[in-house]
Amino acid sequence: MQVAMLSGMEIRHGGPVPVWKQVADDIAQRIKAGEFHQDDAIPSQTAMRQEYGIAIMTARRVIRDLQERGLVYTVTGRGSYVRGR
């Protein structure tokens, strides 16, 4: 199992929790902690790639998961934003 320390969090590649889930959980925690507020943009796919060292397809999966949780909404061509609580 490969471990990477990026963005202040430890990402475990090849572990029991998929990488996309680890990143989605981190961003969800940052939203709940108040780092991002209603209508704030979350990191873009490119920013996630740089910040977490993940592939673009993984970043897309992260955003989809956050949408499914009801935490973010996406505006095509603009980005993803924190949904109101």
Side-chain angles (χ1 to χ4, degrees), residues 11-32:
I11 297 177
R12 295 184 177 275
H13 296 270
V17 179
V19 170
W20 65 264
K21 177 101 169 71
Q22 294 174 61
V23 174
D25 288 347
D26 183 59
I27 294 173
Q29 180 57 40
R30 291 167 66 185
I31 291 169
K32 291 174 184 171

Side-chain angles (χ1 to χ4, degrees), residues 6 21 57 61 70 84:
L6 298 163
K21 177 101 169 71
M57 291 304 292
R61 182 62 181 100

Side-chain angles (χ1 to χ4, degrees), residues 13-73:
H13 296 270
V17 179
V19 170
W20 65 264
K21 177 101 169 71
Q22 294 174 61
V23 174
D25 288 347
D26 183 59
I27 294 173
Q29 180 57 40
R30 291 167 66 185
I31 291 169
K32 291 174 184 171
E35 184 175 335
F36 299 110
H37 300 96
Q38 183 175 344
D39 297 322
D40 281 352
I42 64 167
S44 67
Q45 293 175 19
T46 302
M48 279 188 225
R49 181 175 171 217
Q50 294 169 345
E51 185 175 342
Y52 294 99
I54 60 175
I56 290 293
M57 291 304 292
T58 303
R60 288 183 185 149
R61 182 62 181 100
V62 168
I63 292 170
R64 189 170 78 228
D65 181 72
L66 293 171
Q67 289 172 328
E68 290 170 357
R69 294 187 201 191
L71 295 174
V72 302
Y73 64 94

